[in-house]
Amino acid sequence: MKLAVVGGGSTYTPELIDGFARLRDELPLTEITLVDPDRSRLELVAGVSRRMLARAGHGAKVVATPSVQEGVAGAQAVLFQLRVGGQAARDVDETLPLQCGCVGQETTGAGGLAKALRTVPVVLELAEQVRRHAPEAWIVDFTNPVGIVTRALLDAGHRAIGLCNVAIGFQRRFAGHVGVDPSRVSLGHVGLNHLTWERSVAVDGVDVLPKLLAEHGQAIADDIGLPVELVTRLGVVPSYYLRYFYAHDLVVEEQRAKPSRAAEVAAMEAELLKLYADPAVDTKPALLEKRGGAFYSEAAVALIASLLGDRGDTQVVNVRNAGTLPFLPDEAVIEVPAVVGAEGAAPLPVPAVEPLYAGLIANVSAYESLALEAAVHGGADRVRNALLAHPLIGQEAVAGELTRLLLEANRAHLPWVVSA
């Protein structure tokens, strides 16, 4: 079984390799091909990946190539984990919006739109290569903004499912709080990628969320960066991305007072690459845990194993709405529990969503549709409309200034900007 990782030179990749090694029975890989245009990073990451698999006694071959055609040919699954523009572009995404009093984040708000503009065209080109050279392969997208990118892939007719590690992270933390194996925990997870709430936490089918909040409310609130009073009053657990909405002005103040996350990650990546270059390093470095993407490998292994093995189990993924949330168009992409098998993922029924959450979901989903139009077709007016629709922006003057700044900053990645 061959798996291709597009963006395989990422410092994330050893996290994936660690998961493949530990969960080999679930996903019996014989070849892992890492695809990346950056040959220097690719060789370092491929080297440590080979040593990790050898240490674990895993027989899979690791192939490194800058060629997408060579990398995806014959693959049963292709994982997308790329960052167009690297950490330098991310730094702009996180700092430029602050000039206009808006939150600076790489997937949310203006920064998320900039990332979508750069990323969607590249992903669609890569997906066409997959269609030509591995037409039966599933594309698993971990590239942010996952909801918009997954919608782009599905609209173009690709066999694609979006993946995020937020849900599996909550599952693991909640299991730890109640002292059970994570496999016994299922979530009432609903919303869009990076805009979700846990409305129930079932252990063996029994909802323990009220007990969790009563006994561990402060720890849960600390994890998501929101006041425990808010979490207790809502009776649900928002994802930590909701902090950008529920505490926007406070977040902007904090962001203005410290270096960007991109700057922190860039420094970590430099250290990680030094470690990967050391021929004695044959395990996942502890530093990688600070890089982000916790439990990413476990979520990826579970999803790919279910797609290729037709397991029919339930996982939280990004899929077409298809009537699941009646207040959204069928073609919208949502993040909910779904039954995953050889035919893809079918979302499970979701209890009626309260107006407090449904209103924000509908607003951001409308923004995502406009953002996708801008990413696929270009045009300053489309960008401005998407920004105007976003609930974290929503003012014409701010949207106009952000449009000017974002397009100028991303000119190298957006050939249409010249005529915008």
Side-chain angles (χ1 to χ4, degrees):
M1 181 184 297
K2 175 180 175 179
L3 170 76
V5 182
V6 178
S10 168
T11 55
Y12 265 135
T13 297
E15 168 70 26
L16 266 182
I17 298 298
D18 179 69
F20 295 153
R22 288 185 292 104
L23 304 170
R24 71 186 75 181
D25 293 337
E26 292 189 51
L27 194 62
L29 296 173
T30 56
E31 179 178 329
I32 303 168
T33 300
L34 308 181
V35 183
D36 203 292
D38 188 331
R39 289 177 180 270
S40 59
R41 287 174 63 111
L42 182 60
E43 288 305 321
L44 293 178
V45 172
V48 72
S49 298
R50 293 184 185 108
R51 296 192 297 272
M52 290 172 66
L53 290 177
R55 178 186 174 91
H58 195 298
K61 175 175 64 172
V62 175
V63 177
T65 177
S67 168
V68 178
Q69 176 179 339
E70 176 187 338
V72 304
Q76 282 75 55
V78 180
L79 183 61
F80 284 178
Q81 57 166 37
L82 54 142
R83 182 182 295 281
V84 179
Q87 295 300 331
R90 176 181 179 175
D91 186 71
V92 175
D93 295 344
E94 294 176 340
T95 56
L96 186 149
L98 298 175
Q99 299 178 33
C100 298
C102 296
V103 70
Q105 211 279 329
E106 64 160 337
T107 65
T108 300
L113 176 58
K115 186 172 174 70
L117 295 175
R118 295 191 305 270
T119 303
V120 166
V122 174
V123 165
L124 290 177
E125 288 181 9
L126 293 167
E128 286 302 320
Q129 294 262 45
V130 176
R131 198 196 312 260
R132 285 195 293 271
H133 304 292
E136 300 302 314
W138 279 101
I139 295 174
V140 174
D141 178 62
F142 194 69
T143 297
N144 282 316
V146 167
I148 296 173
V149 172
T150 302
R151 169 78 180 272
L153 288 165
L154 292 173
D155 284 359
H158 297 290
R159 287 163 54 88
I161 296 180
L163 179 65
C164 183
N165 66 325
V166 167
I168 194 172
F170 274 132
Q171 181 200 43
R172 297 304 196 265
R173 287 193 289 273
F174 294 155
H177 286 316
V178 298
V180 301
D181 188 270
S183 64
R184 296 172 57 189
V185 177
S186 58
L187 304 176
H189 183 101
V190 66
L192 311 175
N193 179 243
H194 291 184
L195 191 86
T196 53
W197 297 261
E198 311 304 331
R199 296 191 298 162
S200 64
V201 178
V203 176
D204 299 332
V206 177
D207 187 12
V208 299
L209 181 55
K211 178 180 172 67
L212 266 173
L213 293 178
E215 297 180 359
H216 303 281
Q218 188 63 61
I220 291 170
D222 290 345
D223 278 346
I224 61 177
L226 289 170
V228 67
E229 294 80 10
L230 172 63
V231 177
T232 302
R233 174 166 60 83
L234 295 178
V236 304
V237 181
S239 86
Y240 37 87
Y241 288 92
L242 266 297
R243 187 169 189 262
Y244 300 117
F245 294 82
Y246 293 162
H248 177 275
D249 292 353
L250 176 61
V251 171
V252 169
E253 182 180 338
E254 292 172 351
Q255 290 179 331
R256 284 173 164 167
K258 64 181 183 181
S260 69
R261 173 64 177 165
E264 296 175 358
V265 171
M268 285 183 212
E269 287 195 332
E271 289 302 312
L272 284 168
L273 290 171
K274 288 180 183 177
L275 290 170
Y276 298 164
D278 184 346
V281 173
D282 58 3
T283 59
K284 181 178 70 172
L287 179 60
L288 190 54
E289 295 178 8
K290 298 180 181 179
R291 171 67 178 81
F295 308 113
Y296 162 39
S297 62
E298 294 178 40
V301 167
L303 178 54
I304 296 169
S306 294
L307 291 170
L308 301 184
D310 198 23
R311 298 197 306 188
D313 56 351
T314 299
Q315 299 177 40
V316 174
V317 291
N318 285 260
V319 292
R320 290 281 198 201
N321 179 43
T324 307
L325 303 181
F327 54 89
L328 293 184
D330 285 350
E331 63 272 17
V333 166
I334 60 175
E335 187 172 288
V336 293
V339 176
V340 183
E343 297 303 312
L348 292 170
V350 171
V353 179
E354 299 85 347
L356 181 59
Y357 316 124
L360 188 52
I361 292 170
N363 193 336
V364 176
S365 181
Y367 149 76
E368 290 189 346
S369 294
L370 294 168
L372 181 56
E373 283 291 308
V376 171
H377 300 293
D381 286 347
R382 291 189 178 95
V383 172
R384 190 165 183 161
N385 287 343
L387 291 168
L388 188 61
H390 200 293
L392 295 184
I393 300 160
Q395 297 183 72
E396 168 62 12
V398 178
E401 180 63 5
L402 278 172
T403 298
R404 183 185 68 80
L405 293 171
L406 290 181
L407 295 187
E408 181 59 34
N410 289 276
R411 182 181 294 273
H413 301 285
L414 307 175
W416 52 264
V417 168
V418 176
S419 58

